[in-house]
Structure formats: C-alpha cells, structure tokens
Coordinates of all heavy atoms in Angstrom, one line a residue:
M1 N -2.2 76.7 30.8 CA -1.5 77.7 29.9 C 0.0 77.7 30.3 O 0.3 77.4 31.4 CB -2.1 79.1 30.1 CG -3.5 79.3 29.6 SD -3.5 79.4 27.8 CE -2.9 81.1 27.6
P2 N 0.8 78.0 29.3 CA 2.2 78.0 29.6 C 2.7 79.2 30.4 O 2.0 80.2 30.4 CB 2.9 78.0 28.2 CG 1.8 78.7 27.4 CD 0.5 78.4 28.0
F3 N 3.8 79.0 31.1 CA 4.4 80.1 31.8 C 5.1 81.0 30.7 O 5.7 80.5 29.8 CB 5.4 79.7 32.8 CG 4.8 79.2 34.1 CD1 4.2 77.9 34.2 CD2 4.7 80.1 35.2 CE1 3.6 77.5 35.4 CE2 4.1 79.7 36.4 CZ 3.6 78.4 36.5
I4 N 4.9 82.3 30.9 CA 5.6 83.2 30.0 C 6.4 84.2 30.8 O 6.2 84.4 32.0 CB 4.5 84.0 29.1 CG1 3.6 84.8 30.1 CG2 3.7 83.1 28.2 CD1 2.6 85.7 29.3
P5 N 7.4 84.8 30.1 CA 8.3 85.7 30.9 C 7.6 86.9 31.4 O 6.8 87.5 30.7 CB 9.4 86.1 29.8 CG 9.3 85.1 28.7 CD 7.8 84.6 28.7
L6 N 7.9 87.3 32.6 CA 7.3 88.5 33.2 C 8.4 89.5 33.5 O 8.3 90.7 33.1 CB 6.6 88.2 34.6 CG 6.1 89.4 35.3 CD1 4.9 90.0 34.5 CD2 5.6 89.0 36.7
T7 N 9.5 89.1 34.1 CA 10.6 90.0 34.4 C 11.8 89.2 34.7 O 11.8 88.0 34.5 CB 10.2 91.0 35.5 OG1 11.2 92.0 35.7 CG2 9.9 90.3 36.8
T8 N 12.8 89.8 35.3 CA 14.0 89.1 35.7 C 14.1 89.1 37.3 O 13.4 90.0 37.9 CB 15.3 89.8 35.2 OG1 15.4 91.1 35.8 CG2 15.3 89.9 33.7
A9 N 14.8 88.2 37.8 CA 14.9 88.1 39.2 C 15.5 89.4 39.8 O 15.1 89.8 40.9 CB 15.7 86.9 39.6
A10 N 16.4 90.0 39.1 CA 17.0 91.2 39.6 C 16.0 92.4 39.7 O 16.2 93.3 40.5 CB 18.1 91.6 38.6
E11 N 14.9 92.3 38.9 CA 13.9 93.4 38.9 C 12.8 93.2 40.0 O 12.0 94.1 40.2 CB 13.2 93.5 37.6 CG 14.2 94.1 36.5 CD 14.5 95.5 36.7 OE1 13.7 96.3 37.1 OE2 15.7 95.8 36.6
L12 N 12.8 92.1 40.6 CA 11.7 91.8 41.6 C 11.7 92.8 42.7 O 12.8 93.3 43.1 CB 11.9 90.4 42.2 CG 11.5 89.2 41.2 CD1 11.9 87.9 41.8 CD2 10.0 89.2 40.9
P13 N 10.6 93.0 43.3 CA 10.5 93.9 44.5 C 11.3 93.3 45.6 O 11.4 92.1 45.8 CB 9.1 94.0 44.8 CG 8.4 92.8 44.2 CD 9.3 92.5 43.0
G14 N 11.9 94.2 46.5 CA 12.6 93.7 47.7 C 11.6 93.3 48.8 O 10.4 93.3 48.6
P15 N 12.2 92.9 49.9 CA 11.3 92.4 51.0 C 10.3 93.4 51.4 O 10.6 94.6 51.6 CB 12.3 92.1 52.1 CG 13.6 91.9 51.4 CD 13.6 92.8 50.2
D16 N 9.1 92.9 51.5 CA 7.9 93.8 51.8 C 7.8 95.0 51.0 O 7.5 96.1 51.4 CB 8.0 94.1 53.3 CG 7.7 92.8 54.2 OD1 6.8 92.1 53.7 OD2 8.3 92.6 55.2
E17 N 7.9 94.8 49.7 CA 7.6 95.8 48.7 C 6.7 95.2 47.6 O 6.7 93.9 47.4 CB 8.9 96.3 48.0 CG 9.8 97.1 48.9 CD 11.1 97.5 48.1 OE1 11.3 97.2 47.0 OE2 11.9 98.2 48.8
A18 N 6.0 96.0 46.9 CA 5.2 95.6 45.7 C 5.7 96.4 44.6 O 6.4 97.5 44.7 CB 3.8 95.9 45.9
K19 N 5.5 95.9 43.3 CA 6.0 96.6 42.1 C 5.0 96.2 41.0 O 4.5 95.1 41.0 CB 7.4 96.1 41.9 CG 8.3 97.0 41.1 CD 9.7 96.5 41.2 CE 10.6 97.2 40.2 NZ 12.0 96.7 40.2
E20 N 4.9 97.0 40.0 CA 4.0 96.7 38.9 C 4.8 96.4 37.6 O 5.8 97.0 37.4 CB 2.9 97.7 38.6 CG 3.5 99.1 38.4 CD 2.4 100.2 38.4 OE1 1.2 99.9 38.6 OE2 2.8 101.3 38.3
F21 N 4.4 95.4 36.9 CA 5.0 95.0 35.6 C 4.0 94.9 34.5 O 2.9 94.3 34.7 CB 5.7 93.7 35.8 CG 6.8 93.6 36.8 CD1 6.5 93.3 38.1 CD2 8.1 94.0 36.5 CE1 7.5 93.3 39.1 CE2 9.1 93.9 37.4 CZ 8.8 93.6 38.7
P22 N 4.3 95.4 33.3 CA 3.4 95.1 32.2 C 3.6 93.7 31.7 O 4.7 93.1 31.8 CB 3.9 96.1 31.1 CG 5.3 96.4 31.5 CD 5.4 96.2 32.9
C23 N 2.5 93.1 31.3 CA 2.6 91.7 30.8 C 1.5 91.6 29.7 O 0.3 91.5 30.0 CB 2.4 90.7 31.9 SG 2.8 89.0 31.4
G24 N 1.9 91.6 28.5 CA 0.9 91.7 27.4 C 0.1 92.9 27.5 O 0.6 94.0 27.7
E25 N -1.2 92.7 27.6 CA -2.1 93.9 27.7 C -2.4 94.2 29.2 O -3.2 95.1 29.5 CB -3.4 93.7 26.9 CG -3.1 93.6 25.5 CD -4.3 93.4 24.6 OE1 -5.4 93.2 25.2 OE2 -4.2 93.5 23.4
K26 N -1.9 93.4 30.1 CA -2.2 93.6 31.5 C -1.1 94.3 32.2 O 0.0 94.3 31.8 CB -2.4 92.2 32.2 CG -3.6 91.5 31.9 CD -3.6 90.2 32.7 CE -4.8 89.3 32.5 NZ -6.0 89.8 33.0
M27 N -1.4 94.8 33.4 CA -0.4 95.2 34.4 C -0.5 94.2 35.5 O -1.7 93.8 36.0 CB -0.6 96.6 34.9 CG -0.2 97.7 33.9 SD 1.6 97.7 33.5 CE 2.2 98.7 34.8
I28 N 0.6 93.7 36.0 CA 0.6 92.7 37.1 C 1.3 93.3 38.3 O 2.3 94.0 38.2 CB 1.4 91.5 36.7 CG1 0.8 90.9 35.4 CG2 1.5 90.5 37.8 CD1 -0.6 90.3 35.6
C29 N 0.7 93.1 39.5 CA 1.3 93.5 40.7 C 2.0 92.3 41.3 O 1.4 91.3 41.5 CB 0.2 94.0 41.7 SG 0.8 94.2 43.4
V30 N 3.4 92.5 41.5 CA 4.1 91.5 42.1 C 4.5 91.9 43.5 O 4.9 93.1 43.8 CB 5.4 91.2 41.3 CG1 6.3 90.2 42.1 CG2 5.1 90.7 39.9
A31 N 4.2 91.1 44.5 CA 4.5 91.4 45.9 C 5.5 90.4 46.5 O 5.6 89.3 46.1 CB 3.2 91.3 46.7
N32 N 6.3 91.0 47.3 CA 7.3 90.2 48.1 C 7.0 90.3 49.5 O 7.2 91.4 50.1 CB 8.7 90.7 47.8 CG 9.8 90.0 48.5 OD1 9.6 89.4 49.5 ND2 11.1 90.2 48.0
V33 N 6.4 89.3 50.1 CA 6.1 89.3 51.5 C 7.0 88.3 52.2 O 6.9 87.1 52.0 CB 4.6 88.9 51.8 CG1 4.3 88.8 53.2 CG2 3.7 89.8 51.0
N34 N 7.9 88.8 53.0 CA 8.9 88.0 53.7 C 9.7 87.1 52.7 O 9.9 85.9 53.1 CB 8.3 87.2 54.8 CG 7.8 88.0 56.0 OD1 8.5 89.0 56.2 ND2 6.7 87.7 56.6
G35 N 10.0 87.6 51.5 CA 10.7 86.8 50.6 C 9.9 85.9 49.7 O 10.4 85.2 48.8
V36 N 8.6 85.8 50.0 CA 7.6 85.0 49.1 C 7.1 85.9 48.0 O 6.4 86.9 48.3 CB 6.5 84.4 50.0 CG1 5.6 83.6 49.1 CG2 7.1 83.5 51.1
I37 N 7.3 85.5 46.8 CA 6.9 86.3 45.6 C 5.5 85.8 45.2 O 5.3 84.6 45.0 CB 7.9 86.1 44.5 CG1 9.3 86.6 44.9 CG2 7.4 86.8 43.2 CD1 9.4 88.1 45.1
S38 N 4.6 86.7 45.0 CA 3.3 86.4 44.4 C 2.9 87.5 43.5 O 3.3 88.6 43.5 CB 2.3 86.0 45.5 OG 2.2 87.1 46.4
A39 N 1.9 87.1 42.6 CA 1.5 88.0 41.5 C 0.0 88.0 41.5 O -0.7 87.0 41.6 CB 2.0 87.5 40.2
M40 N -0.5 89.2 41.2 CA -2.0 89.4 41.1 C -2.3 90.6 40.1 O -1.4 91.3 39.8 CB -2.7 89.6 42.4 CG -2.2 90.9 43.2 SD -3.0 90.9 44.8 CE -2.3 92.4 45.5
D41 N -3.5 90.7 39.7 CA -3.9 91.8 38.9 C -3.5 93.1 39.6 O -3.7 93.3 40.8 CB -5.4 91.8 38.6 CG -5.7 91.1 37.3 OD1 -4.8 90.9 36.4 OD2 -6.8 90.6 37.1
N42 N -3.1 94.1 38.8 CA -2.7 95.4 39.3 C -3.8 96.3 39.6 O -3.6 97.4 40.3 CB -1.7 96.0 38.4 CG -0.9 97.1 39.0 OD1 -0.2 96.9 40.0 ND2 -0.9 98.3 38.3
V43 N -5.0 96.0 39.1 CA -6.1 97.0 39.2 C -7.0 96.7 40.4 O -7.6 95.7 40.5 CB -6.9 96.9 37.9 CG1 -8.1 97.9 37.9 CG2 -6.1 97.1 36.7
C44 N -7.0 97.7 41.3 CA -7.8 97.6 42.5 C -9.3 97.6 42.1 O -9.7 98.3 41.3 CB -7.5 98.8 43.4 SG -8.5 98.8 44.9
L45 N -10.0 96.7 42.8 CA -11.5 96.6 42.4 C -12.3 97.6 43.0 O -13.5 97.7 42.8 CB -12.0 95.2 42.8 CG -11.4 94.0 42.0 CD1 -11.9 92.7 42.5 CD2 -11.6 94.2 40.5
H46 N -11.7 98.5 43.8 CA -12.5 99.6 44.4 C -12.7 100.7 43.3 O -13.8 100.8 42.8 CB -11.8 100.2 45.6 CG -12.5 101.4 46.2 ND1 -11.8 102.5 46.6 CD2 -13.8 101.6 46.4 CE1 -12.8 103.4 47.1 NE2 -13.9 102.9 46.9
R47 N -11.7 101.4 42.9 CA -11.8 102.4 41.9 C -10.7 102.3 40.8 O -10.4 103.3 40.2 CB -11.8 103.8 42.5 CG -13.0 104.1 43.3 CD -14.3 104.4 42.5 NE -15.5 104.4 43.3 CZ -15.9 105.3 44.2 NH1 -15.2 106.4 44.4 NH2 -17.0 105.1 44.8
G48 N -10.0 101.2 40.8 CA -9.0 101.0 39.7 C -7.6 101.5 40.1 O -6.8 101.7 39.2
G49 N -7.3 101.6 41.4 CA -6.0 102.0 41.8 C -4.9 101.0 41.4 O -5.2 99.9 41.3
P50 N -3.6 101.5 41.3 CA -2.5 100.7 40.9 C -1.9 100.0 42.1 O -1.1 100.5 42.8 CB -1.5 101.7 40.2 CG -1.8 102.9 41.0 CD -3.3 102.9 41.4
L51 N -2.3 98.7 42.3 CA -1.9 98.0 43.5 C -0.3 97.9 43.6 O 0.2 97.9 44.7 CB -2.5 96.6 43.6 CG -4.0 96.6 43.7 CD1 -4.6 95.2 43.7 CD2 -4.5 97.4 44.9
G52 N 0.3 97.7 42.5 CA 1.8 97.6 42.5 C 2.5 98.8 42.9 O 3.7 98.8 43.2
Q53 N 1.8 99.9 43.1 CA 2.4 101.2 43.6 C 2.1 101.3 45.1 O 2.5 102.3 45.7 CB 1.9 102.4 42.8 CG 2.3 102.4 41.4 CD 1.8 103.6 40.6 OE1 1.4 104.6 41.1 NE2 1.6 103.4 39.3
G54 N 1.5 100.3 45.7 CA 1.1 100.4 47.1 C 2.2 99.9 48.0 O 3.3 99.4 47.5
M55 N 2.0 100.0 49.3 CA 2.9 99.5 50.3 C 2.4 98.1 50.8 O 1.2 97.8 50.6 CB 2.9 100.4 51.5 CG 3.0 101.9 51.2 SD 4.7 102.4 51.3 CE 4.9 102.4 53.1
I56 N 3.3 97.4 51.4 CA 2.8 96.2 52.1 C 2.8 96.4 53.6 O 3.7 96.9 54.2 CB 3.8 95.0 51.7 CG1 3.6 94.7 50.2 CG2 3.5 93.8 52.6 CD1 4.4 93.5 49.7
E57 N 1.6 96.1 54.1 CA 1.4 96.2 55.6 C 0.8 94.9 56.1 O -0.3 94.5 55.5 CB 0.5 97.4 55.9 CG 1.2 98.8 55.7 CD 0.3 99.9 55.9 OE1 -0.8 99.7 56.4 OE2 0.7 101.0 55.6
N58 N 1.4 94.3 57.1 CA 0.8 93.1 57.7 C 0.6 92.1 56.6 O -0.4 91.3 56.6 CB -0.5 93.4 58.4 CG -0.2 94.4 59.6 OD1 0.8 94.3 60.2 ND2 -1.1 95.3 59.7
G59 N 1.5 92.0 55.6 CA 1.4 90.9 54.6 C 0.4 91.2 53.5 O 0.2 90.4 52.6
K60 N -0.2 92.4 53.5 CA -1.2 92.7 52.5 C -0.7 93.9 51.7 O 0.0 94.8 52.2 CB -2.5 93.2 53.2 CG -3.1 92.2 54.2 CD -3.8 91.0 53.5 CE -4.7 90.2 54.4 NZ -4.0 89.6 55.5
V61 N -1.1 93.9 50.4 CA -0.8 95.0 49.5 C -1.9 96.1 49.7 O -3.0 95.8 49.6 CB -0.7 94.6 48.1 CG1 -0.5 95.8 47.2 CG2 0.4 93.6 47.8
V62 N -1.4 97.3 50.1 CA -2.4 98.3 50.4 C -2.5 99.3 49.2 O -1.5 99.8 48.8 CB -2.0 99.1 51.7 CG1 -2.9 100.3 52.0 CG2 -1.9 98.2 52.9
C63 N -3.7 99.4 48.7 CA -3.9 100.3 47.5 C -3.5 101.7 47.8 O -3.9 102.2 48.9 CB -5.3 100.2 47.0 SG -5.7 101.2 45.6
P64 N -2.7 102.3 46.9 CA -2.2 103.7 47.2 C -3.4 104.7 47.2 O -3.2 105.9 47.6 CB -1.2 104.0 46.2 CG -1.5 103.1 45.1 CD -2.1 101.8 45.7
W65 N -4.5 104.4 46.6 CA -5.5 105.4 46.4 C -6.4 105.6 47.6 O -6.6 106.7 48.1 CB -6.4 105.1 45.2 CG -5.7 105.4 43.9 CD1 -4.3 105.8 43.8 CD2 -6.2 105.4 42.6 NE1 -4.0 106.0 42.5 CE2 -5.2 105.8 41.7 CE3 -7.4 105.1 42.0 CZ2 -5.3 105.9 40.3 CZ3 -7.6 105.2 40.7 CH2 -6.6 105.6 39.8
H66 N -7.0 104.5 48.2 CA -7.9 104.7 49.3 C -7.7 103.7 50.4 O -8.5 103.5 51.3 CB -9.4 104.6 48.9 CG -9.7 105.4 47.6 ND1 -9.8 104.8 46.4 CD2 -9.9 106.7 47.4 CE1 -10.1 105.7 45.5 NE2 -10.1 106.9 46.1
G67 N -6.6 102.9 50.3 CA -6.1 102.1 51.4 C -6.8 100.7 51.5 O -6.6 100.1 52.5
W68 N -7.5 100.3 50.5 CA -8.0 98.9 50.6 C -6.8 97.9 50.6 O -5.8 98.2 49.9 CB -8.9 98.5 49.4 CG -10.3 99.1 49.5 CD1 -10.7 100.3 50.1 CD2 -11.5 98.5 48.9 NE1 -12.0 100.5 49.9 CE2 -12.5 99.4 49.2 CE3 -11.8 97.4 48.2 CZ2 -13.8 99.2 48.8 CZ3 -13.1 97.1 47.8 CH2 -14.1 98.0 48.1
A69 N -6.9 96.9 51.4 CA -5.8 95.9 51.6 C -6.1 94.6 50.9 O -7.3 94.1 51.0 CB -5.5 95.7 53.0
W70 N -5.2 94.1 50.2 CA -5.4 92.9 49.4 C -4.4 91.8 49.7 O -3.2 92.1 49.8 CB -5.3 93.2 47.9 CG -6.3 94.2 47.4 CD1 -6.1 95.6 47.5 CD2 -7.6 94.0 46.9 NE1 -7.2 96.2 47.0 CE2 -8.2 95.3 46.7 CE3 -8.3 92.9 46.7 CZ2 -9.4 95.4 46.2 CZ3 -9.6 93.0 46.2 CH2 -10.2 94.3 45.9
D71 N -4.8 90.6 49.9 CA -3.9 89.5 50.2 C -3.3 89.0 48.9 O -4.0 88.5 48.0 CB -4.8 88.3 50.8 CG -3.9 87.2 51.3 OD1 -2.8 87.0 50.6 OD2 -4.2 86.5 52.3
P72 N -2.0 89.1 48.8 CA -1.4 88.8 47.5 C -1.4 87.3 47.2 O -1.1 86.9 46.1 CB 0.1 89.3 47.6 CG 0.3 89.4 49.1 CD -1.0 89.7 49.7
K73 N -1.6 86.5 48.2 CA -1.7 85.1 47.9 C -3.1 84.6 47.4 O -3.1 83.8 46.5 CB -1.5 84.3 49.2 CG -0.1 84.4 49.7 CD 0.4 82.9 50.1 CE 1.9 82.8 50.1 NZ 2.5 83.3 48.9
T74 N -4.1 85.2 47.9 CA -5.5 84.8 47.5 C -6.1 85.8 46.6 O -7.2 85.5 46.0 CB -6.4 84.6 48.7 OG1 -6.5 85.8 49.4 CG2 -5.8 83.6 49.7
G75 N -5.7 87.1 46.6 CA -6.3 88.1 45.9 C -7.5 88.8 46.6 O -8.1 89.7 46.1
E76 N -7.8 88.3 47.8 CA -9.0 88.7 48.5 C -8.8 90.0 49.3 O -7.7 90.3 49.8 CB -9.3 87.6 49.6 CG -10.7 87.8 50.1 CD -11.3 86.5 50.7 OE1 -10.5 85.6 51.1 OE2 -12.5 86.3 50.7
A77 N -9.8 90.8 49.2 CA -9.8 92.1 49.9 C -10.0 91.8 51.4 O -10.9 91.1 51.8 CB -11.0 93.0 49.4
A78 N -9.1 92.4 52.2 CA -9.1 92.2 53.7 C -10.4 92.6 54.3 O -10.9 91.9 55.2 CB -7.9 92.9 54.3
N79 N -11.0 93.6 53.8 CA -12.3 94.1 54.5 C -13.5 93.7 53.8 O -14.6 94.1 54.2 CB -12.2 95.6 54.6 CG -11.1 96.0 55.6 OD1 -10.8 95.3 56.6 ND2 -10.4 97.1 55.3
S80 N -13.4 93.0 52.7 CA -14.6 92.6 51.9 C -14.4 91.1 51.4 O -14.1 90.9 50.3 CB -14.8 93.5 50.7 OG -14.9 94.8 51.0
P81 N -14.6 90.2 52.4 CA -14.4 88.8 52.0 C -15.2 88.4 50.8 O -16.4 88.8 50.6 CB -15.0 88.0 53.3 CG -14.8 89.0 54.3 CD -15.1 90.4 53.7
G82 N -14.6 87.7 49.9 CA -15.3 87.2 48.7 C -15.0 88.2 47.5 O -15.3 87.8 46.4
V83 N -14.5 89.4 47.8 CA -14.1 90.3 46.7 C -12.7 90.0 46.4 O -11.8 90.1 47.3 CB -14.3 91.7 47.1 CG1 -13.8 92.7 46.0 CG2 -15.8 92.0 47.4
K84 N -12.4 89.5 45.2 CA -11.0 89.1 44.9 C -10.5 89.6 43.5 O -11.3 89.6 42.5 CB -11.0 87.6 44.8 CG -11.1 86.8 46.0 CD -11.0 85.3 45.8 CE -11.1 84.6 47.1 NZ -10.9 83.1 46.9
V85 N -9.3 90.0 43.5 CA -8.6 90.2 42.2 C -8.0 88.9 41.8 O -7.7 88.0 42.7 CB -7.5 91.3 42.3 CG1 -8.1 92.6 42.6 CG2 -6.4 91.0 43.3
A86 N -7.7 88.7 40.5 CA -7.1 87.5 40.0 C -5.7 87.3 40.5 O -4.9 88.3 40.6 CB -7.1 87.4 38.5
V87 N -5.3 86.1 40.9 CA -3.9 85.8 41.3 C -3.3 84.8 40.3 O -4.1 84.1 39.7 CB -3.8 85.3 42.7 CG1 -4.1 86.3 43.7 CG2 -4.6 84.0 42.9
Y88 N -2.1 84.9 40.1 CA -1.4 84.1 39.1 C -0.2 83.3 39.6 O 0.6 83.9 40.4 CB -0.9 84.9 37.9 CG -2.0 85.8 37.3 CD1 -2.1 87.2 37.6 CD2 -3.0 85.2 36.5 CE1 -3.1 87.9 37.1 CE2 -4.1 86.0 36.0 CZ -4.1 87.3 36.3 OH -5.1 88.1 35.8
P89 N 0.0 82.1 39.2 CA 1.2 81.4 39.6 C 2.5 82.0 39.0 O 2.4 82.5 37.8 CB 1.1 80.0 39.0 CG -0.4 79.9 38.6 CD -0.8 81.2 38.3
V90 N 3.5 82.1 39.8 CA 4.8 82.6 39.3 C 5.9 81.6 39.6 O 5.8 80.9 40.6 CB 5.2 84.0 39.9 CG1 4.5 85.1 39.3 CG2 5.0 84.0 41.4
Q91 N 6.9 81.6 38.8 CA 8.1 80.7 39.0 C 9.3 81.6 38.8 O 9.3 82.3 37.8 CB 8.1 79.6 38.0 CG 7.0 78.5 38.2 CD 7.1 77.4 37.2 OE1 7.9 77.5 36.2 NE2 6.4 76.4 37.4
V92 N 10.3 81.4 39.6 CA 11.6 82.0 39.4 C 12.5 80.9 38.9 O 12.7 79.9 39.6 CB 12.1 82.7 40.6 CG1 13.5 83.4 40.4 CG2 11.1 83.7 41.2
E93 N 13.0 81.0 37.7 CA 13.8 80.0 37.1 C 15.2 80.6 36.7 O 15.2 81.3 35.7 CB 13.2 79.4 35.8 CG 11.8 78.7 36.0 CD 11.2 78.3 34.8 OE1 11.8 78.5 33.7 OE2 10.1 77.7 34.8
G94 N 16.2 80.3 37.5 CA 17.4 81.0 37.3 C 17.2 82.5 37.4 O 16.7 83.0 38.4
G95 N 17.5 83.3 36.4 CA 17.4 84.7 36.5 C 16.0 85.2 35.9 O 15.7 86.4 36.0
A96 N 15.2 84.3 35.5 CA 13.9 84.7 34.8 C 12.8 84.5 35.8 O 12.7 83.5 36.5 CB 13.7 83.9 33.6
V97 N 11.8 85.4 35.7 CA 10.6 85.2 36.5 C 9.4 85.0 35.4 O 9.2 85.8 34.5 CB 10.3 86.5 37.3 CG1 9.0 86.3 38.1 CG2 11.4 86.8 38.2
M98 N 8.8 83.9 35.6 CA 7.7 83.4 34.7 C 6.4 83.5 35.4 O 6.3 83.3 36.6 CB 8.0 82.0 34.2 CG 9.4 81.7 33.8 SD 9.9 82.5 32.3 CE 9.0 81.5 31.1
I99 N 5.3 83.8 34.6 CA 4.0 83.9 35.1 C 3.0 83.1 34.2 O 3.3 83.0 33.0 CB 3.5 85.3 35.2 CG1 2.2 85.5 35.9 CG2 3.5 86.0 33.8 CD1 1.9 86.9 36.4
D100 N 2.0 82.5 34.8 CA 1.0 81.8 34.1 C -0.3 82.6 34.3 O -0.9 82.6 35.3 CB 0.8 80.4 34.7 CG -0.3 79.6 34.0 OD1 -0.9 80.2 33.1 OD2 -0.4 78.4 34.3
L101 N -0.7 83.3 33.2 CA -1.9 84.1 33.2 C -3.2 83.3 33.1 O -4.2 83.9 33.1 CB -1.8 85.2 32.2 CG -0.7 86.3 32.3 CD1 -0.7 87.3 31.2 CD2 -0.8 87.0 33.7
G102 N -3.1 82.0 32.9 CA -4.3 81.2 32.8 C -5.0 81.2 31.5 O -4.7 82.0 30.6
Ligands
FES201 S1 -9.0 102.4 44.2 FE1 -8.0 101.0 45.5 S2 -8.7 101.6 47.5 FE2 -9.8 102.8 46.1

C-alpha cells in the first residue's frame, strides 16, 4: 500500500512523548522513543484506552486508563506476550510524515 500523509514533522511528539493523530477512520498513536518515531493503533486492546494520550516509560507507551505498556516498535503488550496492536511503517520526508496503513 502507498504511504499517505499523517501529519507534519513539526507536529510530531517530542522526545519520550506519545501523541494521537486521526488518519482516515483510524486514530494512530505516534511515539517518539529517544528520537525514533513509530506508529501503532491508538486503541488499547485492554478496554480501548487512547494510547496516544499515554506517557512513555522505559521505551513503552503506557495506556492512560489502566497502565498496560505497549512496545511501539512491535505493538506487543509488555505483560501479555503475543497480544499486539497493529504497527505501521512511517517515513519522514522533508516536512511531511507519511504512514503506510497496509
Ligand atoms: S484500556 Fe488500556 S490499560 Fe485498560
């Protein structure tokens, strides 16, 4: 699938922050872990919490509702191996941030 625009580089979360962005009918959680940008589904698989409103701790996005931690690179739940949210490739091209929703 082609990469489509998600946001601008200026809107990306700062170091060790997460942020949510609408993309078509989805919300996407973008995380910045030590300057590495990654994107995954925004909906926590526990009870649907908004991951992009969470904090980053130890390189994981922590859901703001009940604290499940998610690896933004693999989408895997830290405490439930094999439980994964979808992750998506992102590219920063000049000032544009592009995502491939697959
Ligand atoms: S909804 Fe995310 S931890 Fe419960």
Side-chain angles (χ1 to χ4, degrees):
M1 290 286 284
F3 280 82
I4 57 173
L6 177 66
T7 184
T8 63
E11 290 293 318
L12 284 172
D16 289 322
E17 288 178 3
K19 204 166 167 182
E20 55 190 0
F21 296 92
C23 190
E25 297 182 350
K26 286 180 180 290
M27 288 294 275
I28 302 294
C29 168
V30 175
N32 177 340
V33 177
N34 288 326
V36 178
I37 298 294
S38 49
M40 61 183 177
D41 268 337
N42 195 53
V43 180
C44 180
L45 293 179
H46 177 222
R47 295 279 166 79
L51 296 179
Q53 294 177 26
M55 313 266 286
I56 294 187
E57 288 177 8
N58 300 320
K60 307 284 197 297
V61 175
V62 178
C63 179
W65 285 7
H66 317 97
W68 284 30
W70 300 88
D71 185 327
K73 290 226 156 309
T74 63
E76 193 158 27
N79 295 324
S80 300
V83 177
K84 288 185 181 185
V85 296
V87 292
Y88 305 105
V90 282
Q91 289 180 349
V92 182
E93 299 176 0
V97 180
M98 312 291 286
I99 188 167
D100 180 355
L101 293 179

